[in-house]
Amino acid sequence: MGDKAHAHPGAAGGAPAAGRPSAVRNVVLVGPGGSGKTTLVEALALTAGAVNRAGRVEDGTAVSDYDEIERRRQRSVQLSLVPVAWDGCKVNLLDTPGYADFVGELRAGLRAADAALFVVSAAQDAGSVAATTRAAWEECAMVGMPRAIVVTHLDTARTSYREMNRICAETFGGEDPDAVLPLYLPVLGPEAADGHAPLTGLTGLLSRRILDYSSGERVELPPAPGQEETLRSARERLLEGIIAESEDESLMDRYLGGEDIGVATLTDDLERAVARGSFHPVLTAAPAAEGARQGVGTVELLELVTRGFPTPLERTPPLLTTPSGEPRPAPVCDPEGPLVAEVVKTASDPYVGRVSLVRVFSGTLRPDDPVHLCGHGLDAAGRAPRPGHGAEIRVGALTSPFGRRQHPLDRCVAGDLACVARLGEAETGDTLSAVGDPVLIEPWATPDPLLPLAVRAHGRADEDKLSQGLARLVAEDPTLRLEQNPDTGQVVLWCLGEAHQEVALERLRGHYGVQVDAEPHRVPLRETFAGRATGRGRHVKQSGGHGQFAICEIEVEPLPPGSGVEFVDKVVGGSVPRQFVPSVEKGVRAQAARGLAAGFPLVDVRVTLLDGKAHSVDSSDAAFQTAGALALREAASDVRIQLLEPVYEVSVLVPDDYVGPVMSDLSGRRGRVVGTEQSPGGRTLVRAEVPEAEVGRYAVDLRSLSHGTGRFDRAYARHEAMPPQVADRVRAETADGAPGA
């Protein structure tokens, strides 16, 4: 930030090491897909001398987008770490996906980082900043994380740096737009016929010098004639913003009195304000031209990161508890302290196996060290920790990732990040602590996945591999939820969106070798009697030898919702022998479970056994079971069978501008709006009751309806009668062999 030139430190492709927390900077890049985060990471790696070519390491492997799925999709779908060295510091650049479906990767990056670079595109965000970016900014503000803004694509036709600064100030400044101000003004080259004007340099507002990159190297020049007025106006506003954040209360009086405040004093105050998270500078950057060694603005960004962003020593540590939930003192970022580390991401490598990205908050992690593994996850029944949790394991090899390559490390000190191969049964969000002193780090919040994906193995050979592959997927990605639906028998993977679903399927097929098919998600419907009915079950067969004889008469009547199936014995005179009454009940319940009209379970009825007949030789348990089932089917033929569908309580939080469209859309889904509540930040909470069949794709539809600004929760309320026309359609689909609802 002092506008000084830097040489390239270190050889290309090297693995920077950190021996102390004060020499570490953990920075997460946040922004929508297409804003240029990955390109910016590559440009910073080139400027820092970590690579010889933009996007390449010395063996030709890409710094990012090296995953096969990412290459195929041409966008990031997972968190990636690119460490570089600059000015005596190790800078861990955490590149996050920009698409909303992969917000879990973003949350992991925020947990691992101590500061954030918000990347906005002048071409993409000319009207407004993406909703996901604003949401991430608010999350960072809640925890006081220092932030800066980087404007990209400024060399695109019909873009305006002044307009982007206005948008950034309004979006990110909130009630204090003077806390979001540019440090540099762009210098554009001659405009081409298509309106494209290349970004050739920057003008430092503090130094009042042009930083020219047109030659491929950074050169300082005096400001161009005619630029003084624009420079003076922008500089005055920046100085007032910096001085307003200064801890020196006399500085404003000196400035207003006409004193020329030194650049060194202003730079020191700026760096302190950035580190506190009270001032958010705006910078601009562009990738290096072909053959150039530096991208425009990359030196300034690395200066900001190393001199303005805080060290891990300044981070507020996460909360700790014992495995039983008792509070523990917060960890201290001390390499000599007790070990406290967290698995912020797990991934499967086809050659190495499971690889865990670990952030060390206290102590030092070394290869072959024994550690205690503790996790929040429970087994499928929700009763006990998953296997391998609450156990002592041994740390494998430590490495620093760089593209596909992994550079060995002899240790990872407090504040740093490292990859660990084959870390037992560790999952994303698990805690590593010292043996004999187990602790648990409070988990970070993740959105509830609400888009269902029903899957089944393609063939018998894939059935065993499917369960293993799904378990590994869920262990790696906490925004996935696995459910074995007992009502429909389907295996359901709950995801955040369609892209999330597609990537999950690709990983199952590509990473784990499981041939898997997706099938329509079935809603667990029920059946019930609309009125009272009677039925007679007669099962009499004589085919020589021992025959079958059982006759029973029943009455069926509806019960209130939630009553299940109630069986009552009112037989008098022993017409049905006592030993066969349970047989009749067993047959009735078996038929109720199979359904009557459309194959869905029968509920909320009372079945009363009134009379029957038996034979002293030919009656049996099996015969009366069959008679009970036949009696129930006959009763169903004389009365209308209602289909019951699950209804959910849905809570939708949207900006006030979208309340009308959301309420209209919910009504179109057969929903009943039951109320609205005002929420902070110009939002409204809409509460409604909606059939589950109508909200299967609501996660996708709400995102489209609210332009990514809305979110919703849902909770099961009850089953209620389905409208006749909808029920008729479901019966027709069931008769045709298609899954109902």
Side-chain angles (χ1 to χ4, degrees), residues 496-511:
L496 294 176
E498 290 179 308
H500 202 201
Q501 288 181 339
E502 293 167 3
V503 168
L505 289 175
E506 287 186 56
R507 284 181 174 155
L508 281 172
R509 294 164 180 156
H511 289 191

Side-chain angles (χ1 to χ4, degrees), residues 589-714:
R589 291 190 181 278
Q591 183 63 54
R594 292 191 296 269
L596 297 167
F600 301 108
L602 179 71
V603 296
D604 302 336
V605 293
R606 177 185 292 121
V607 179
T608 304
L609 178 60
L610 301 174
D611 200 359
K613 293 182 181 180
H615 190 277
S616 59
V617 175
D618 293 341
S619 291
S620 65
D621 170 67
F624 271 99
Q625 285 190 45
T626 302
L630 290 172
L632 187 61
R633 291 210 295 266
E634 182 177 292
S637 66
D638 293 335
V639 72
R640 184 168 61 89
I641 301 297
Q642 281 187 331
L643 292 188
L644 305 178
E645 61 181 342
V647 174
Y648 275 71
E649 295 175 350
V650 176
S651 301
V652 187
L653 184 65
V654 290
D656 294 342
D657 293 343
Y658 297 105
V659 171
V662 164
M663 294 176 67
S664 176
D665 179 72
L666 290 172
S667 298
R669 297 172 184 270
R670 299 192 284 123
R672 296 184 295 272
V673 176
V674 297
T676 60
E677 299 176 16
Q678 285 300 121
S679 296
R683 294 182 174 91
T684 299
L685 184 68
V686 181
R687 300 187 184 277
E689 293 182 344
V690 190
E692 184 184 7
E694 303 291 342
V695 292
R697 287 182 48 83
Y698 196 56
V700 176
D701 298 337
L702 177 63
R703 183 180 300 169
S704 175
L705 183 66
S706 65
H707 298 279
T709 60
R711 61 180 178 85
F712 81 105
D713 299 310
R714 70 180 206 173

Side-chain angles (χ1 to χ4, degrees), residues 77 162 181 232 250 289 363 460 510 513 539 600:
V77 300
R162 177 179 296 179
L181 294 171
R232 183 189 62 80
S250 67
R460 188 178 299 274
H539 183 61
F600 301 108

Side-chain angles (χ1 to χ4, degrees), residues 23 31 46 85 113 190 260 289 346 354 384 510 535 553 587 652 681 684 692 716:
L46 177 66
D260 187 11
T346 57
R354 184 178 293 185
E553 296 180 4
V652 187
T684 299
E692 184 184 7
Y716 172 76

